Amino acid sequence: MKTAMSRRQSESMALVGLFAALIAVMGLIPKIDLPLGVPITLQTLGVMMAGCLLGPWRGLQAILLFLVAVAAGLPLLAGGRGGLGVFMAPTTGYLIGWIPAAFTTGLLMALLPKATALRAAASAFVASVLGGVLVLHAFGIAGLVLVAKIPLMQAFWGDLLFVPGDMLKCVLCALVVHTVARALPDWRLGGRGA
C-alpha cells in the first residue's frame, strides 16, 4: 500500500514538473509586444493545458512551481524575463492570474463531461474559456489598474486585444485534450479519479 502511494506521489510530482517545464518551453516562442506593456505569449496555453490535463490542484502546483522559478530569477517568461521585477510590472495581474486560471480551468474540467474524446474536447474548450480567459483577464485588468495605474475602461479595452489569440489557444487546448483522450483513455482529465 505504501509503495502504491509513493508511486502515485512520484507520478504527480513528475507531471507537475513536466508541465512547469512545458510552460517554460512555451516561453521560447517569441513574444509580441503591445503598448500596454503586456506581451502576447504562448504560455497562457500552458496554463489552460495544465488545468485541463492535470486538474485543479496539480495544475495549480505546476503554475506555482513555474512562478517560483521565475521569481527566483530564472528567465523563463517569454522574451527571457525573470526575477521579482516582473511581478512589479504591468504583467503582474496576468502572472498572478495564472494561479486561479489554472485552478478554475481544472475544476471546471473535472466537473464537465468527458465520456468521449469529443466531449472531453468540448469540455476543455469551455473550461479554458471560463478559466483561462475570463478569470485570467479579470486578474490582468485588475493588475493593469492597480500596478500600471491605467484607468479601468482603458485597461478593459486594452485587454480585449488579447481575446482573439486566447480564444485560439482555447481551441488548441481542446485539440490537445481530444488527442490525449483518444490516445490515453485512462488519463485522468481534470484530475478525475485522483
Side-chain angles (χ1 to χ4, degrees):
M1 181 90 174
K2 188 170 183 159
T3 305
M5 184 61 110
S6 296
R7 183 171 183 227
R8 189 178 332 160
Q9 288 175 336
S10 297
E11 177 186 305
S12 184
M13 287 175 29
L15 287 171
V16 165
L18 176 69
F19 271 80
L22 176 67
I23 295 168
V25 168
M26 289 177 169
L28 297 174
I29 308 297
K31 63 186 173 95
I32 300 169
D33 289 312
L34 294 177
L36 286 174
V38 179
I40 295 174
T41 73
L42 192 60
Q43 290 178 303
T44 50
L45 172 61
V47 173
M48 294 172 192
M49 287 173 39
C52 286
L53 294 172
L54 298 182
W57 294 109
R58 289 188 296 177
L60 180 137
Q61 291 169 353
I63 301 304
L64 285 175
L65 176 60
F66 177 81
L67 291 177
V68 166
V70 168
L74 295 177
L76 301 177
L77 292 173
R81 297 170 299 131
L84 290 176
V86 299
F87 295 99
M88 308 299 174
T91 57
T92 300
Y94 293 97
L95 293 176
I96 299 301
W98 284 5
I99 299 165
F103 184 83
T104 304
T105 302
L107 187 62
L108 291 169
M109 188 66 189
L111 297 173
L112 292 169
K114 300 170 285 295
T116 66
L118 192 56
R119 282 188 182 168
S123 293
F125 179 78
V126 170
S128 295
V129 168
L130 296 176
V133 177
L134 290 180
V135 169
L136 178 60
H137 287 248
F139 276 83
I141 291 168
L144 289 172
V145 170
L146 298 172
V147 177
K149 306 295 186 209
I150 295 174
L152 178 60
M153 288 313 294
Q154 184 180 346
F156 174 79
W157 290 112
D159 179 81
L160 288 179
L161 294 171
F162 297 101
V163 173
D166 283 351
M167 293 304 290
L168 180 60
K169 292 173 198 172
C170 292
V171 171
L172 291 173
C173 182
L175 290 172
V176 168
V177 167
H178 183 267
T179 302
V180 169
R182 286 188 60 171
L184 302 168
D186 293 334
W187 187 282
R188 297 177 306 227
L189 295 169
R192 76 162 189 243

